[in-house]
Amino acid sequence: MKVKHALVTVVAICVLFSIFSDTQAYEEANNVAGKSSFSRLFAYPTGRMIPSGVLNLSFGGSFATQGGQEFLGLGAVGLGDVAEFEFSTAHIISNIFNFSDHIGATALKFRVHEGEPETYNPTIVVALRSNTWSAVGSSERGELTGPAMGDGQNDLSGVDFETHFTTIYAASTFDIHPAWSTHFSVAYDEIRIRDIRYNYGFNNGNRASEPDDITAGIISVSIGIEHAVNSRTHSIIELGSLPEIDFEEDMSGLNVSPLWQGLVGVRFYIRTLTTIDAGIRYRSDYSGLSDVEIRAGLNLGIDIQKEIRKKMRR
């Protein structure tokens, strides 16, 4: 609870700072009038770059989900209008006991082609994203449901492991109209798992380990459509895939399969540097309308260079 309260406090401070900060430099950095300079839509990257010296912080929550509320975070800073450094949380999804987890990750993105507005000449970026070895698993959650679960003392009750992943992706943005943009991305995800621990019986009383590392890869894709309804509101539609870790029934290995999700919502601009995202998400592994997620997010931009200059003039 203390961590959650601290995050809420940080968000509140950033909101106040962003709302009252000078946004002129950020507005001048927009290549196309009325277009967003945020480098992501809701879930997937675009071909856009954050302007140089601007720090973008994104916070988001998922509500009405089967497993309760999520709290996600992402930060990125523009580097010279040619690169972008990102730090974020990556979503790990597994079919074993239907669990998911979040681990820290960093990414470095480069612009490789500058497009032209109102043409079919896109802006293209490439990026590499990775994480350090992180421990994840299902046994700590006490989730006693799933395809491999039984009722006896010797039945499988959980799986814990360490995971490391690397993603390389390319994203493009077509600003085909002053009010319309289309975004595409394709990614290759390589997931490596080690120190797999199978927990058997109630309270994870018995354990069996798998010493060998397991590696699997998958290609993910996405498409997004963004429409500037007015000067303050953009509507967004996204459809894409993300990797799901599928343990084999005999627990001898794993496969990585695509999990599809769709998102529909709006991005409202309080200021050029401050937006509120709201929308709904549905995934292919959901069983019905009751699993639909209502999502809300907050994007904050801070022009670091301008703030430093203001401090130096005082």
Side-chain angles (χ1 to χ4, degrees), residues 11 32 43 55 78 83 85 88 94 97 99 111 123 125 163 178 182-183 203 215 225 257 270 279 282:
V11 171
V32 183
L55 173 65
F85 177 76
S88 64
S94 175
F97 304 110
F99 87 88
R111 177 187 287 133
T123 298
V125 300
T163 183
T182 305
H183 312 276
N203 299 320
T215 302
I225 299 175
S257 59
I270 301 175
Y282 192 83

Side-chain angles (χ1 to χ4, degrees), residues 173-228:
T173 291
F174 294 79
D175 289 319
I176 57 179
H177 185 274
W180 291 89
S181 296
T182 305
H183 312 276
F184 300 92
S185 72
V186 57
Y188 176 74
D189 299 282
E190 183 175 275
I191 300 174
R192 188 179 179 190
I193 290 176
R194 71 180 184 188
D195 193 21
I196 305 173
R197 299 177 300 279
Y198 307 118
N199 305 310
Y200 296 89
F202 300 112
N203 299 320
N204 307 315
N206 304 309
R207 288 176 175 249
S209 299
E210 175 60 55
D212 297 330
D213 293 0
I214 303 175
T215 302
I218 190 173
I219 294 177
S220 303
V221 296
S222 74
I223 180 174
I225 299 175
E226 183 181 12
H227 174 49

Side-chain angles (χ1 to χ4, degrees), residues 7 40 42-44 58-62 70-76 86-93 101-107 129-131 134 136 165 167 242 281 295:
L7 289 172
R40 299 179 67 89
F42 292 148
Y44 296 99
S58 299
F59 307 89
S62 297
E70 296 177 349
F71 192 88
L72 308 177
L74 181 149
E86 177 186 289
F87 47 95
S88 64
T89 54
H91 201 178
I92 301 297
I93 303 172
D101 209 337
H102 299 91
I103 58 178
T106 55
R129 183 169 60 139
S130 187
N131 76 309
S134 302
V136 298
F165 74 87
T167 301
L242 62 161
R281 179 176 77 167
R295 301 180 67 84

Side-chain angles (χ1 to χ4, degrees), residues 46-292:
T46 70
R48 296 186 180 130
M49 303 284 290
I50 295 175
S52 179
V54 170
L55 173 65
N56 175 240
L57 301 175
S58 299
F59 307 89
S62 297
F63 306 92
T65 60
Q66 185 178 23
Q69 177 178 327
E70 296 177 349
F71 192 88
L72 308 177
L74 181 149
V77 60
L79 305 174
D81 292 323
V82 296
E84 180 180 308
F85 177 76
E86 177 186 289
F87 47 95
S88 64
T89 54
H91 201 178
I92 301 297
I93 303 172
S94 175
N95 71 327
I96 190 72
F97 304 110
N98 301 315
F99 87 88
S100 62
D101 209 337
H102 299 91
I103 58 178
T106 55
L108 188 60
K109 180 165 69 174
F110 296 94
R111 177 187 287 133
V112 296
H113 178 71
E114 179 68 43
E116 297 179 7
E118 299 183 47
T119 69
Y120 289 94
N121 183 8
T123 298
I124 302 174
V125 300
V126 296
L128 181 71
R129 183 169 60 139
S130 187
N131 76 309
T132 59
W133 283 100
S134 302
V136 298
S138 61
S139 60
E140 294 182 358
R141 295 167 175 75
E143 298 172 351
L144 301 180
T145 60
M149 181 57 199
D151 297 324
Q153 182 65 26
N154 295 317
D155 290 316
L156 184 65
S157 61
V159 178
D160 299 314
F161 54 87
E162 292 185 351
T163 183
H164 171 70
F165 74 87
T166 299
T167 301
I168 183 170
Y169 71 82
S172 62
T173 291
F174 294 79
D175 289 319
I176 57 179
H177 185 274
W180 291 89
S181 296
T182 305
H183 312 276
F184 300 92
S185 72
V186 57
Y188 176 74
D189 299 282
E190 183 175 275
I191 300 174
R192 188 179 179 190
I193 290 176
R194 71 180 184 188
D195 193 21
I196 305 173
R197 299 177 300 279
Y198 307 118
N199 305 310
Y200 296 89
F202 300 112
N203 299 320
N204 307 315
N206 304 309
R207 288 176 175 249
S209 299
E210 175 60 55
D212 297 330
D213 293 0
I214 303 175
T215 302
I218 190 173
I219 294 177
S220 303
V221 296
S222 74
I223 180 174
I225 299 175
E226 183 181 12
H227 174 49
V229 180
N230 54 52
S231 61
R232 286 184 174 268
T233 309
H234 287 197
S235 60
I236 296 173
I237 300 175
E238 283 186 292
L239 176 65
S241 61
L242 62 161
E244 179 185 27
I245 301 174
D246 295 325
F247 285 90
E248 297 179 359
E249 290 185 3
D250 60 358
M251 308 307 293
S252 61
L254 65 88
N255 297 309
V256 181
S257 59
L259 189 67
W260 293 92
Q261 65 176 348
L263 302 97
V264 179
V266 297
R267 173 169 288 168
F268 177 74
Y269 286 78
I270 301 175
R271 299 284 298 271
T272 306
L273 289 172
T274 307
T275 72
I276 295 176
D277 294 347
I280 59 175
R281 179 176 77 167
Y282 192 83
R283 288 194 335 215
S284 58
D285 61 335
Y286 291 168
S287 59
L289 186 62
S290 61
D291 290 330
V292 171

Side-chain angles (χ1 to χ4, degrees), residues 5-39:
H5 291 161
L7 289 172
V8 172
T9 302
V10 170
V11 171
I13 293 173
C14 290
V15 169
L16 293 175
F17 182 82
S18 179
I19 290 176
F20 293 104
S21 65
D22 189 346
T23 64
Q24 180 180 356
Y26 197 82
E27 292 171 346
E28 292 174 351
N30 282 307
N31 295 323
V32 183
K35 298 294 183 181
S36 168
S37 286
F38 293 107
S39 59

